[in-house]
Amino acid sequence: MNYERIKEKLEILADAAKYDVSCSSSGSKRQNKNKGLGDSSGMGICHTHTEDGRCVSLLKILLTNVCIFDCAYCVTRKSNDIKRAAFTVQEVVDLTINFYRRNYIEGLFLSSGIFKSPDATMERLIRVAKKLREEENFNGYIHLKSIPGASDELMQEAGLYADRLSVNIEIPTKAGLKLLAPDKDHKDFIKPMKAVQNSIQIYKSEKKLIKNTPIYAPAGQSTQMIVGATGESDRDIMYSANFFYNKFQMKRVYYSGYIPVANDSRLPAIGTEVPMMRENRLYQTDWLLRFYGFNIQEILNETHQNLDMDIDPKLSWALRNLDQFPIDINKADKRMIARVPGIGMRSVGKIIRARRYRKLNWQHLKAIGISMNRSKYFMTCDSRDFETRDLTSSKIKNLIMLNSNSKYHKNFNNQLNLFS
Amino acid sequence: MTTTLLYDGSLNGLLTTIFIIYDHKIKSPIISKASKTQKNLFDGMEVITTDIDKAKRVWNRFESLCNYRDSHQVYCAFLSEINGIENTIYEYIKSTFQKQKTPSGDFTNPSVLKIAQAAKMVGREKHRMEAFVRFHLIDEKTYYANIEPDFNVLPLITKHFKNRYADQNWVIYDLSRNYGISYDQNIVQEVYIDFKTPKGQRGILNTTATSNKNNIELTTGFQEKENNYRDLWNQYFQSTNIKSRKNLKLHVQHVPKRYWKYLSEKL
């Protein structure tokens, strides 16, 4: 192995792959078999975090950054003048195995620029995964990219070796896609998703009848959307995320604040700040949908098209629905406790277990660890001391923001003074 | 008057102590590690000799009254080695025996909350160690890693590493507690290494040992190939970073500085 050459390739191809934000290595059921290498049946592990605070759990690289497409938002687009490189199948296998053995990574996340044709690219990705599984007896996590436009047969094969498959739809609206990636067709993204979803269902139902049916993409599918490239609203983004969760049983939808990589009049200019705050609010909304039992229409709708930047979406929802509060923490059902701002799902579980023993008061709730600053306006407990003033939404919001200590606070101080 | 009971620091020692408290009907005991306690002139003091049978009796009874999650939580809390955790564990077990069931979930009870919090801290540290162990190939076939965890988590991570690296020999050594675990593709054993270099000076590279009890030969230095992989990993770590999203506060929150000396990418 020519080490210097590999290092150079790694530099180019890891750099090109880093805009894919998916980093999860959990949700697979692949156990170590025959005393081989690796096990991905447990929880995901972040082996380190880069200086931007994002986790490193997989070796995330492109097989090649040669690409026949010219999507405006992408670094590896055909017209971009950058160094190109390509790994051989064996090089990727060696890197993965040797990194894994040293406990650097949980597995491989392999993507690629599209060279020659979608099928030729997909076929090469599958060869890496197949070699890892069959020749190296590797049971670590493998995340393969589904190449838009790849045939159903190849997608079917990919799932036999990969734990997760993903297609990034990147642009949440069809109009945006037409503008920024004129050679790509919306259908090409949907087709591999459908193929994988079908296979997952087939293998699952077969597994019920025949025990030794091989596992097929046990960690499911995910996708990613770029935020802030085409002027779409939060509602556009979250409604399409919701569509993918429901229609394709996606395990995750990732939101990636657009990082300007090109001087293109259709896109934000280079040097524009990455919309990290907005990204954060979108993830919070995503969590409310998946774990807190919220319906998307409750959070984003015709009259409320964008998320508030200064407060989290749950607080924002609660302030718009003050008629449902305050709740009695000792009596309310799980669903309503989960809707109180400042109470997370962990605390919901603790409150429900703890109140079986005795009625909870403010001290108890504080000791359990819920955020009193946000929650106290929305509940009562075993105490005579509770919010008796009839406060308006904007008053509550101001009181909460006065006492909160967000890292984004500096962005909002002016607004606060203006309206209070 | 309080009675201070000194035990040897092992779980069996603590359980024996709890047995003795019941047996001798000791009122207001203070349980403490023998190695950590200074002599107190005014209070009674008793040194407990660990007795496996007595310990087993206490543990078996306790286990029979709770589910695995609760007893594992108590075990994790014990591994935290937090000052005074012994008395909290005693309170917890006492309450279990009194009511014939664990007070698990009664978070308004301070000892229950404390056990849950301590166990949570230990669980986090266990997870961190599963992430931050960095193996180095020190001879033809042994992968070696030094760690200095906040809590005594080696017993908790054994299974994870055994399942995962079933086909390679590895050693993980806890420098602060001076013992390690070693796997020979068959079973995991405890090992002790007499290091040449003093404690403060052992980085990831300094794994030289003179003699040891369990026959693990640690040799000096690395092969060139090993340095190459470390270098490739460092390269990957640099290349995968997005500079325009720099957020050092978040970075340090996830990768606290105290672990940096054993993380090759942070050296």
Side-chain angles (χ1 to χ4, degrees):
Chain A
M1 188 162 107
N2 181 349
Y3 152 74
E4 284 301 332
R5 182 75 191 114
I6 297 281
K7 189 173 169 184
E8 200 187 338
K9 285 187 191 177
L10 192 61
E11 188 181 348
I12 298 170
L13 295 170
D15 186 85
K18 70 188 175 190
Y19 300 101
D20 233 310
V21 290
S22 168
C23 62
S24 81
S25 53
S26 60
S28 180
K29 293 174 212 100
R30 197 180 300 276
Q31 287 182 324
N32 189 301
K33 69 173 187 262
N34 305 328
K35 277 209 160 183
L37 174 65
D39 185 299
S40 38
S41 59
M43 51 183 121
I45 298 175
C46 306
H47 283 275
T48 189
H49 290 255
T50 46
E51 288 189 351
D52 52 21
R54 303 186 313 151
C55 92
V56 179
S57 94
L58 303 170
L59 171 64
K60 196 185 288 179
I61 47 175
L62 297 190
L63 199 54
T64 174
N65 62 346
V66 175
C67 193
I68 54 173
F69 285 97
D70 202 27
C71 310
Y73 52 82
C74 180
V75 231
T76 55
R77 66 188 177 279
K78 189 169 60 182
S79 61
N80 201 12
D81 183 23
I82 49 164
K83 265 194 193 171
R84 306 279 167 173
F87 276 123
T88 64
V89 170
Q90 190 58 44
E91 282 168 348
V92 177
V93 170
D94 284 343
L95 266 181
T96 310
I97 294 291
N98 278 295
F99 276 14
Y100 195 87
R101 285 202 183 281
R102 286 163 182 76
N103 205 38
Y104 294 162
I105 51 167
E106 284 298 280
L108 175 67
F109 180 129
L110 191 60
S111 177
S112 181
I114 300 170
F115 56 91
K116 276 196 241 162
S117 69
D119 274 355
T121 313
M122 196 67 224
E123 190 263 293
R124 191 79 63 89
L125 295 183
I126 293 171
R127 252 169 53 204
V128 174
K130 187 173 178 181
K131 196 159 195 174
L132 279 168
R133 294 283 188 232
E134 289 183 350
E135 289 176 29
E136 304 286 339
N137 196 4
F138 177 71
N139 304 297
Y141 193 92
I142 299 179
H143 180 156
L144 289 187
K145 214 76 268 167
S146 314
I147 303 297
S151 71
D152 288 0
E153 294 73 39
L154 283 173
M155 290 324 301
Q156 205 264 332
E157 196 187 353
L160 291 174
Y161 307 111
D163 293 284
R164 168 168 288 182
L165 291 159
S166 66
V167 200
N168 290 353
I169 60 155
E170 305 291 15
I171 307 297
T173 55
K174 275 186 194 170
L177 187 72
K178 196 149 256 158
L179 179 72
L180 296 180
D183 352 330
K184 276 188 182 165
D185 187 353
H186 190 70
K187 279 185 221 126
D188 289 345
F189 296 92
I190 302 295
K191 195 169 151 266
M193 278 184 200
K194 262 194 187 137
V196 172
Q197 189 203 13
N198 278 340
S199 299
I200 289 178
Q201 278 165 355
I202 291 168
Y203 277 83
K204 254 191 194 153
S205 59
E206 251 174 59
K207 184 117 192 147
K208 279 181 196 150
L209 302 173
I210 309 162
K211 208 177 158 235
N212 62 0
T213 306
I215 46 174
Y216 183 91
Q221 298 196 76
S222 64
T223 188
Q224 165 177 319
M225 277 183 267
I226 297 179
V227 175
T230 52
E232 67 294 310
S233 70
D234 290 341
R235 190 177 76 132
D236 293 337
I237 296 169
M238 287 317 300
Y239 274 53
S240 47
N242 195 47
F243 168 79
F244 287 110
Y245 279 129
N246 293 334
K247 183 92 183 175
F248 295 105
Q249 280 90 46
M250 287 280 161
K251 290 280 158 119
R252 284 292 299 274
V253 175
Y254 292 92
Y255 312 93
S256 167
Y258 178 68
I259 299 159
V261 287
N263 272 321
D264 188 313
S265 57
R266 292 168 289 177
L267 286 165
I270 286 186
T272 312
E273 209 177 325
V274 184
M276 291 206 264
M277 177 79 201
R278 185 173 176 205
E279 199 184 285
N280 184 20
R281 295 291 181 232
L282 288 169
Y283 276 113
Q284 286 175 324
T285 312
D286 185 277
W287 252 248
L288 291 182
L289 297 183
R290 291 191 300 138
F291 303 112
Y292 288 75
F294 275 90
N295 193 318
I296 185 68
Q297 281 87 7
E298 293 178 278
I299 304 168
L300 290 162
N301 47 44
E302 202 52 48
T303 52
H304 204 80
Q305 300 224 0
N306 283 302
L307 298 167
D308 288 334
M309 284 297 115
D310 49 357
I311 50 171
D312 65 84
K314 190 157 91 169
L315 178 57
S316 168
W317 172 83
L319 290 174
R320 276 180 276 133
N321 293 277
L322 279 180
D323 55 312
Q324 305 199 25
F325 297 101
I327 59 154
D328 182 348
I329 206 77
N330 288 305
K331 287 188 187 138
D333 62 358
K334 191 176 171 183
R335 177 181 161 276
M336 268 326 279
I337 300 179
R339 285 174 175 242
V340 176
I343 302 186
M345 281 322 278
R346 293 262 172 184
S347 302
V348 171
K350 276 187 177 166
I351 288 168
I352 286 175
R353 289 179 76 194
R355 72 182 185 184
R356 289 188 194 133
Y357 289 87
R358 61 186 64 81
K359 283 192 167 178
L360 308 179
N361 61 31
W362 296 116
Q363 279 75 36
H364 296 145
L365 291 168
K366 202 166 188 177
I368 283 174
I370 71 173
S371 161
M372 298 309 274
N373 180 35
R374 267 172 295 163
S375 60
K376 66 182 171 198
Y377 305 101
F378 301 97
M379 62 185 183
T380 58
C381 60
D382 188 30
S383 160
R384 287 180 195 197
D385 184 22
F386 58 91
E387 189 55 63
T388 47
R389 292 171 290 177
D390 191 13
L391 294 169
T392 60
S393 297
S394 58
K395 188 79 192 155
I396 295 179
K397 181 173 163 181
N398 280 350
L399 284 170
I400 289 174
M401 287 192 65
L402 274 177
N403 294 313
S404 72
N405 203 358
S406 158
K407 61 185 169 228
Y408 299 113
H409 217 109
K410 58 176 193 301
N411 305 350
F412 305 117
N413 271 346
N414 290 335
Q415 294 177 16
L416 237 170
N417 294 337
L418 216 75
F419 295 116
S420 60
Chain B
M1 195 181 86
T2 57
T3 313
T4 305
L5 302 166
L6 302 180
Y7 78 109
D8 61 359
S10 69
L11 181 64
N12 281 329
L14 175 61
L15 293 169
T16 311
T17 313
I18 293 174
F19 186 93
I20 303 274
I21 292 170
Y22 273 91
D23 199 31
H24 296 189
K25 298 196 170 64
I26 296 171
K27 296 232 168 64
S28 45
I30 294 172
I31 312 172
S32 177
K33 280 196 190 69
S35 57
K36 271 196 176 169
T37 313
Q38 292 182 331
K39 246 189 152 26
N40 184 335
L41 283 174
F42 305 103
D43 289 343
M45 197 173 272
E46 202 174 322
V47 179
I48 307 292
T49 324
T50 303
D51 180 331
I52 305 273
D53 289 330
K54 286 176 182 163
K56 270 215 174 114
R57 272 178 67 185
V58 175
W59 188 253
N60 288 346
R61 181 73 190 123
F62 175 61
E63 263 194 326
S64 72
L65 292 171
C66 57
N67 58 29
Y68 173 75
R69 203 175 66 174
D70 298 327
S71 60
H72 188 67
Q73 206 173 43
V74 171
Y75 177 54
C76 287
F78 170 76
L79 292 177
S80 75
E81 300 167 336
I82 293 170
N83 264 342
I85 197 72
E86 293 90 349
N87 271 71
T88 315
I89 292 174
Y90 165 62
E91 292 295 331
Y92 192 95
I93 292 182
K94 191 169 87 174
S95 154
T96 306
F97 288 168
Q98 257 170 12
K99 300 201 175 98
Q100 295 292 300
K101 71 172 210 222
T102 45
S104 123
D106 184 9
F107 297 110
T108 50
N109 173 342
S111 57
V112 176
L113 191 63
K114 196 169 172 197
I115 294 275
Q117 284 166 343
K120 175 111 195 173
M121 285 159 75
V122 172
R124 278 206 194 106
E125 188 68 5
K126 164 195 177 267
H127 192 67
R128 261 191 220 123
M129 284 305 124
E130 287 168 358
F132 291 163
V133 160
R134 294 281 180 273
F135 284 125
H136 304 274
L137 192 59
I138 49 167
D139 57 33
E140 281 307 310
K141 57 183 197 336
T142 311
Y143 289 82
Y144 182 91
N146 278 333
I147 55 171
E148 265 181 85
D150 292 347
F151 310 116
N152 184 14
V153 293
L154 279 186
L156 298 174
I157 61 174
T158 305
K159 196 178 146 204
H160 170 85
F161 282 98
K162 190 181 169 203
N163 284 344
R164 166 167 298 218
Y165 299 110
D167 69 340
Q168 70 191 46
N169 293 359
W170 50 259
V171 178
I172 301 171
Y173 206 82
D174 183 342
L175 288 176
S176 42
R177 286 164 196 81
N178 205 23
Y179 82 106
I181 48 175
S182 149
Y183 174 72
D184 59 357
Q185 304 189 29
N186 195 20
I187 50 161
V188 179
Q189 279 179 314
E190 260 186 37
V191 287
Y192 303 89
I193 303 175
D194 293 328
F195 288 93
K196 257 187 206 160
T197 37
K199 204 172 170 183
Q201 297 166 20
R202 296 178 212 139
I204 52 163
L205 299 173
N206 215 333
T207 47
T208 317
T210 41
S211 64
N212 51 67
K213 291 169 197 161
N214 285 35
N215 274 335
I216 289 172
E217 287 291 323
L218 296 182
T219 46
T220 334
F222 290 103
Q223 298 151 347
E224 196 197 342
K225 203 175 128 201
E226 192 56 20
N227 285 327
N228 286 350
Y229 276 116
R230 226 155 48 87
D231 207 26
L232 285 176
W233 167 243
N234 296 350
Q235 176 64 55
Y236 175 68
F237 180 73
Q238 293 304 329
S239 303
T240 200
N241 179 32
I242 299 179
K243 288 202 180 71
S244 51
R245 296 183 60 114
K246 189 169 173 177
N247 188 348
L248 277 181
K249 196 177 158 203
L250 189 61
H251 169 66
V252 174
Q253 187 182 321
H254 285 304
V255 190
K257 284 185 180 157
R258 61 183 182 280
Y259 302 105
W260 285 13
K261 57 182 160 174
Y262 301 113
L263 297 175
S264 38
E265 71 271 16
K266 290 307 297 177
L267 277 177

